[in-house]
Amino acid sequence: ETLSIFSHELDSVNVRLNLPPQPILAMVDPVYMEQALHNIIKNSIDAMEDTPAEKKELTVTLGSSRQWIAVDIKDTGKGISKENLENIFLPFYSSHPYSKHWGIGLSLTYRIIQAHEGKIEVQSTLGKGTSFQILLPKITQIFTEKRQTNGK
C-alpha cells in the first residue's frame, strides 16, 4: 500500500516487491508503520533522482526468521557518506537544504521502530545505493518475552 502512494514518482524506477507466499503477521500500528516505510521510500526516491533511468531500482523484501520479521528496502541511489550515515537518525539532521528536507523523517522512523520494540539498520555505499533493514519482533516472540518477564 505504501508503494502505491508513490506510483507516479516510481514510474521510471524498476520496483521489485518480494513477498512470501504466506502472510506474515506483526503487532504494529498500521498508521505509524506506514509513515516509517513512507519516510524510507521517499528518501530512496530522492537518492535516485540523478541516477540514469535504466539503473534506478527499488527493492522491498518482506521475510521472517524464528524471532524477527524483516523488511528490507534497498535502492540504487547515490548512497550516504560515512560521516552522514552516523547522523541520519538524529532529529533535524539533513545533508540537504532545510527548504527541501527538514531532517525529521528518518528520526521519526527510528522512533517508530523503537516503539514497536524493533531495530533498524542501514548500510550504504557511495555511488551504489543504500539498504535499510527493519526488524520487528514476531508475535510469538513478544508473547514469549512477556511470559518470561512476568514469570508465567
Side-chain angles (χ1 to χ4, degrees):
E1 290 178 26
T2 305
L3 285 172
S4 66
I5 295 168
F6 296 104
S7 61
H8 180 69
E9 292 175 275
L10 291 171
D11 279 344
S12 66
V13 177
N14 180 17
V15 178
R16 295 180 182 170
L17 183 59
N18 303 315
L19 300 175
Q22 299 297 320
I24 297 175
L25 302 177
M27 288 187 64
V28 298
D29 181 296
V31 174
Y32 284 124
M33 192 54 59
E34 183 174 343
Q35 183 64 55
L37 296 172
H38 181 278
N39 293 336
I40 294 172
I41 293 168
K42 177 64 175 151
N43 282 3
S44 291
I45 292 169
D46 290 347
M48 292 187 288
E49 188 174 60
D50 296 328
T51 303
E54 67 276 4
K55 293 187 178 185
K56 290 182 180 183
E57 289 184 15
L58 178 68
T59 305
V60 180
T61 304
L62 176 64
S64 67
S65 67
R66 188 166 171 239
Q67 294 180 343
W68 298 100
I69 296 167
V71 180
D72 296 319
I73 301 171
K74 182 177 181 178
D75 67 60
T76 56
K78 60 185 171 189
I80 305 168
S81 71
K82 286 187 179 191
E83 300 80 35
N84 288 342
L85 202 57
E86 295 172 6
N87 299 308
I88 62 169
F89 296 121
L90 295 175
F92 304 108
Y93 177 81
S94 178
S95 60
H96 300 281
Y98 285 119
S99 61
K100 186 173 181 183
H101 291 277
W102 287 13
I104 56 173
L106 289 179
S107 66
L108 179 60
T109 294
Y110 183 83
R111 294 197 186 274
I112 290 169
I113 301 307
Q114 277 189 321
H116 286 86
E117 298 183 27
K119 304 173 188 177
I120 184 167
E121 300 171 354
V122 61
Q123 295 179 345
S124 190
T125 303
L126 281 175
K128 293 195 176 186
T130 302
S131 178
F132 284 87
Q133 183 177 57
I134 297 171
L135 297 171
L136 300 168
K138 277 190 149 177
I139 292 174
T140 53
Q141 183 66 18
I142 292 170
F143 290 127
T144 301
E145 288 175 5
K146 296 287 184 209
R147 271 188 297 220
Q148 290 172 349
T149 304
N150 295 331
K152 297 180 182 177

mmCIF file of all heavy atoms in Angstrom, residues 37-61:
data_model
loop_
_atom_site.group_PDB
_atom_site.id
_atom_site.type_symbol
_atom_site.label_atom_id
_atom_site.label_comp_id
_atom_site.label_asym_id
_atom_site.label_seq_id
_atom_site.Cartn_x
_atom_site.Cartn_y
_atom_site.Cartn_z
ATOM 1 N N LEU A 37 7.739 3.468 6.775
ATOM 2 C CA LEU A 37 8.090 2.980 5.440
ATOM 3 C C LEU A 37 8.063 4.111 4.423
ATOM 4 O O LEU A 37 8.929 4.196 3.540
ATOM 5 C CB LEU A 37 7.130 1.858 5.031
ATOM 6 C CG LEU A 37 7.175 0.593 5.884
ATOM 7 C CD1 LEU A 37 6.048 -0.349 5.491
ATOM 8 C CD2 LEU A 37 8.523 -0.078 5.792
ATOM 9 N N HIS A 38 7.089 4.990 4.545
ATOM 10 C CA HIS A 38 6.976 6.149 3.659
ATOM 11 C C HIS A 38 8.253 6.983 3.693
ATOM 12 O O HIS A 38 8.775 7.390 2.647
ATOM 13 C CB HIS A 38 5.763 6.980 4.085
ATOM 14 C CG HIS A 38 5.515 8.186 3.237
ATOM 15 N ND1 HIS A 38 6.184 9.376 3.415
ATOM 16 C CD2 HIS A 38 4.662 8.387 2.205
ATOM 17 C CE1 HIS A 38 5.756 10.252 2.523
ATOM 18 N NE2 HIS A 38 4.835 9.678 1.786
ATOM 19 N N ASN A 39 8.768 7.247 4.891
ATOM 20 C CA ASN A 39 9.969 8.076 5.025
ATOM 21 C C ASN A 39 11.179 7.443 4.340
ATOM 22 O O ASN A 39 11.942 8.128 3.666
ATOM 23 C CB ASN A 39 10.281 8.321 6.507
ATOM 24 C CG ASN A 39 9.228 9.166 7.182
ATOM 25 O OD1 ASN A 39 8.502 9.933 6.549
ATOM 26 N ND2 ASN A 39 9.117 9.025 8.494
ATOM 27 N N ILE A 40 11.335 6.142 4.495
ATOM 28 C CA ILE A 40 12.479 5.464 3.872
ATOM 29 C C ILE A 40 12.320 5.459 2.358
ATOM 30 O O ILE A 40 13.270 5.758 1.619
ATOM 31 C CB ILE A 40 12.630 4.031 4.417
ATOM 32 C CG1 ILE A 40 13.001 4.077 5.903
ATOM 33 C CG2 ILE A 40 13.694 3.263 3.628
ATOM 34 C CD1 ILE A 40 12.977 2.730 6.595
ATOM 35 N N ILE A 41 11.137 5.132 1.882
ATOM 36 C CA ILE A 41 10.913 5.073 0.431
ATOM 37 C C ILE A 41 11.081 6.446 -0.198
ATOM 38 O O ILE A 41 11.679 6.584 -1.267
ATOM 39 C CB ILE A 41 9.537 4.449 0.118
ATOM 40 C CG1 ILE A 41 9.546 2.970 0.530
ATOM 41 C CG2 ILE A 41 9.180 4.618 -1.356
ATOM 42 C CD1 ILE A 41 8.179 2.315 0.551
ATOM 43 N N LYS A 42 10.586 7.489 0.456
ATOM 44 C CA LYS A 42 10.748 8.851 -0.068
ATOM 45 C C LYS A 42 12.226 9.205 -0.178
ATOM 46 O O LYS A 42 12.675 9.778 -1.177
ATOM 47 C CB LYS A 42 10.011 9.854 0.836
ATOM 48 C CG LYS A 42 10.170 11.300 0.413
ATOM 49 C CD LYS A 42 9.564 11.557 -0.944
ATOM 50 C CE LYS A 42 9.634 13.035 -1.284
ATOM 51 N NZ LYS A 42 9.720 13.261 -2.723
ATOM 52 N N ASN A 43 13.008 8.858 0.839
ATOM 53 C CA ASN A 43 14.448 9.122 0.786
ATOM 54 C C ASN A 43 15.111 8.332 -0.339
ATOM 55 O O ASN A 43 16.012 8.839 -1.012
ATOM 56 C CB ASN A 43 15.110 8.781 2.124
ATOM 57 C CG ASN A 43 14.880 9.848 3.168
ATOM 58 O OD1 ASN A 43 14.186 10.832 2.931
ATOM 59 N ND2 ASN A 43 15.441 9.656 4.339
ATOM 60 N N SER A 44 14.659 7.096 -0.552
ATOM 61 C CA SER A 44 15.208 6.285 -1.647
ATOM 62 C C SER A 44 14.922 6.928 -2.997
ATOM 63 O O SER A 44 15.797 6.997 -3.863
ATOM 64 C CB SER A 44 14.623 4.873 -1.611
ATOM 65 O OG SER A 44 15.094 4.162 -0.499
ATOM 66 N N ILE A 45 13.710 7.387 -3.176
ATOM 67 C CA ILE A 45 13.339 8.047 -4.436
ATOM 68 C C ILE A 45 14.195 9.289 -4.647
ATOM 69 O O ILE A 45 14.723 9.517 -5.736
ATOM 70 C CB ILE A 45 11.836 8.387 -4.448
ATOM 71 C CG1 ILE A 45 11.008 7.106 -4.511
ATOM 72 C CG2 ILE A 45 11.493 9.323 -5.606
ATOM 73 C CD1 ILE A 45 9.526 7.299 -4.261
ATOM 74 N N ASP A 46 14.354 10.092 -3.599
ATOM 75 C CA ASP A 46 15.184 11.298 -3.701
ATOM 76 C C ASP A 46 16.639 10.946 -4.014
ATOM 77 O O ASP A 46 17.290 11.635 -4.793
ATOM 78 C CB ASP A 46 15.126 12.108 -2.403
ATOM 79 C CG ASP A 46 13.777 12.768 -2.185
ATOM 80 O OD1 ASP A 46 12.960 12.810 -3.131
ATOM 81 O OD2 ASP A 46 13.535 13.248 -1.059
ATOM 82 N N ALA A 47 17.141 9.859 -3.427
ATOM 83 C CA ALA A 47 18.537 9.463 -3.646
ATOM 84 C C ALA A 47 18.776 9.007 -5.080
ATOM 85 O O ALA A 47 19.904 9.079 -5.574
ATOM 86 C CB ALA A 47 18.920 8.351 -2.668
ATOM 87 N N MET A 48 17.733 8.548 -5.751
ATOM 88 C CA MET A 48 17.887 8.083 -7.134
ATOM 89 C C MET A 48 17.562 9.156 -8.163
ATOM 90 O O MET A 48 17.548 8.876 -9.365
ATOM 91 C CB MET A 48 16.991 6.852 -7.366
ATOM 92 C CG MET A 48 17.438 5.636 -6.592
ATOM 93 S SD MET A 48 16.517 4.146 -7.028
ATOM 94 C CE MET A 48 14.919 4.475 -6.275
ATOM 95 N N GLU A 49 17.337 10.368 -7.703
ATOM 96 C CA GLU A 49 16.926 11.454 -8.589
ATOM 97 C C GLU A 49 17.875 11.629 -9.783
ATOM 98 O O GLU A 49 17.427 11.802 -10.919
ATOM 99 C CB GLU A 49 16.841 12.743 -7.776
ATOM 100 C CG GLU A 49 16.256 13.908 -8.515
ATOM 101 C CD GLU A 49 16.084 15.103 -7.589
ATOM 102 O OE1 GLU A 49 17.094 15.589 -7.035
ATOM 103 O OE2 GLU A 49 14.934 15.527 -7.420
ATOM 104 N N ASP A 50 19.173 11.587 -9.550
ATOM 105 C CA ASP A 50 20.153 11.805 -10.622
ATOM 106 C C ASP A 50 20.681 10.503 -11.220
ATOM 107 O O ASP A 50 21.601 10.531 -12.045
ATOM 108 C CB ASP A 50 21.320 12.646 -10.098
ATOM 109 C CG ASP A 50 20.874 14.043 -9.681
ATOM 110 O OD1 ASP A 50 19.920 14.567 -10.297
ATOM 111 O OD2 ASP A 50 21.465 14.605 -8.735
ATOM 112 N N THR A 51 20.116 9.395 -10.832
ATOM 113 C CA THR A 51 20.528 8.090 -11.355
ATOM 114 C C THR A 51 19.888 7.890 -12.725
ATOM 115 O O THR A 51 18.705 8.188 -12.900
ATOM 116 C CB THR A 51 20.084 6.962 -10.388
ATOM 117 O OG1 THR A 51 20.641 7.205 -9.102
ATOM 118 C CG2 THR A 51 20.528 5.593 -10.876
ATOM 119 N N PRO A 52 20.653 7.385 -13.698
ATOM 120 C CA PRO A 52 20.041 7.106 -15.007
ATOM 121 C C PRO A 52 18.857 6.150 -14.856
ATOM 122 O O PRO A 52 18.891 5.229 -14.036
ATOM 123 C CB PRO A 52 21.174 6.451 -15.801
ATOM 124 C CG PRO A 52 22.431 6.860 -15.106
ATOM 125 C CD PRO A 52 22.075 7.061 -13.663
ATOM 126 N N ALA A 53 17.809 6.367 -15.643
ATOM 127 C CA ALA A 53 16.561 5.611 -15.522
ATOM 128 C C ALA A 53 16.789 4.101 -15.559
ATOM 129 O O ALA A 53 16.162 3.360 -14.798
ATOM 130 C CB ALA A 53 15.584 6.026 -16.625
ATOM 131 N N GLU A 54 17.697 3.633 -16.409
ATOM 132 C CA GLU A 54 17.915 2.192 -16.533
ATOM 133 C C GLU A 54 18.597 1.577 -15.304
ATOM 134 O O GLU A 54 18.615 0.369 -15.119
ATOM 135 C CB GLU A 54 18.711 1.853 -17.802
ATOM 136 C CG GLU A 54 20.154 2.335 -17.812
ATOM 137 C CD GLU A 54 20.331 3.788 -18.268
ATOM 138 O OE1 GLU A 54 19.313 4.473 -18.513
ATOM 139 O OE2 GLU A 54 21.488 4.229 -18.357
ATOM 140 N N LYS A 55 19.134 2.415 -14.420
ATOM 141 C CA LYS A 55 19.808 1.922 -13.212
ATOM 142 C C LYS A 55 19.007 2.159 -11.933
ATOM 143 O O LYS A 55 19.435 1.780 -10.863
ATOM 144 C CB LYS A 55 21.182 2.570 -13.087
ATOM 145 C CG LYS A 55 22.141 2.130 -14.177
ATOM 146 C CD LYS A 55 23.527 2.647 -13.930
ATOM 147 C CE LYS A 55 24.450 2.139 -15.024
ATOM 148 N NZ LYS A 55 25.832 2.515 -14.775
ATOM 149 N N LYS A 56 17.839 2.786 -12.064
ATOM 150 C CA LYS A 56 17.015 3.055 -10.887
ATOM 151 C C LYS A 56 16.280 1.785 -10.466
ATOM 152 O O LYS A 56 15.447 1.272 -11.198
ATOM 153 C CB LYS A 56 15.988 4.151 -11.178
ATOM 154 C CG LYS A 56 16.572 5.520 -11.340
ATOM 155 C CD LYS A 56 15.471 6.538 -11.571
ATOM 156 C CE LYS A 56 16.034 7.926 -11.739
ATOM 157 N NZ LYS A 56 14.972 8.928 -11.882
ATOM 158 N N GLU A 57 16.623 1.302 -9.266
ATOM 159 C CA GLU A 57 15.966 0.114 -8.743
ATOM 160 C C GLU A 57 15.619 0.316 -7.277
ATOM 161 O O GLU A 57 16.435 0.803 -6.500
ATOM 162 C CB GLU A 57 16.857 -1.125 -8.867
ATOM 163 C CG GLU A 57 17.041 -1.617 -10.266
ATOM 164 C CD GLU A 57 17.837 -2.904 -10.341
ATOM 165 O OE1 GLU A 57 18.014 -3.581 -9.298
ATOM 166 O OE2 GLU A 57 18.299 -3.231 -11.439
ATOM 167 N N LEU A 58 14.422 -0.069 -6.934
ATOM 168 C CA LEU A 58 13.972 -0.063 -5.544
ATOM 169 C C LEU A 58 13.456 -1.468 -5.259
ATOM 170 O O LEU A 58 12.558 -1.957 -5.935
ATOM 171 C CB LEU A 58 12.856 0.961 -5.318
ATOM 172 C CG LEU A 58 12.293 1.012 -3.901
ATOM 173 C CD1 LEU A 58 13.331 1.564 -2.924
ATOM 174 C CD2 LEU A 58 11.038 1.864 -3.859
ATOM 175 N N THR A 59 14.072 -2.114 -4.273
ATOM 176 C CA THR A 59 13.690 -3.473 -3.920
ATOM 177 C C THR A 59 13.164 -3.486 -2.492
ATOM 178 O O THR A 59 13.832 -2.997 -1.578
ATOM 179 C CB THR A 59 14.894 -4.432 -4.042
ATOM 180 O OG1 THR A 59 15.429 -4.330 -5.363
ATOM 181 C CG2 THR A 59 14.483 -5.864 -3.766
ATOM 182 N N VAL A 60 11.964 -4.016 -2.324
ATOM 183 C CA VAL A 60 11.349 -4.154 -0.998
ATOM 184 C C VAL A 60 11.106 -5.640 -0.776
ATOM 185 O O VAL A 60 10.428 -6.290 -1.572
ATOM 186 C CB VAL A 60 10.030 -3.360 -0.897
ATOM 187 C CG1 VAL A 60 9.418 -3.529 0.484
ATOM 188 C CG2 VAL A 60 10.255 -1.886 -1.218
ATOM 189 N N THR A 61 11.685 -6.134 0.312
ATOM 190 C CA THR A 61 11.586 -7.560 0.616
ATOM 191 C C THR A 61 11.023 -7.748 2.021
ATOM 192 O O THR A 61 11.486 -7.098 2.967
ATOM 193 C CB THR A 61 12.974 -8.232 0.513
ATOM 194 O OG1 THR A 61 13.512 -7.996 -0.789
ATOM 195 C CG2 THR A 61 12.882 -9.728 0.769
#
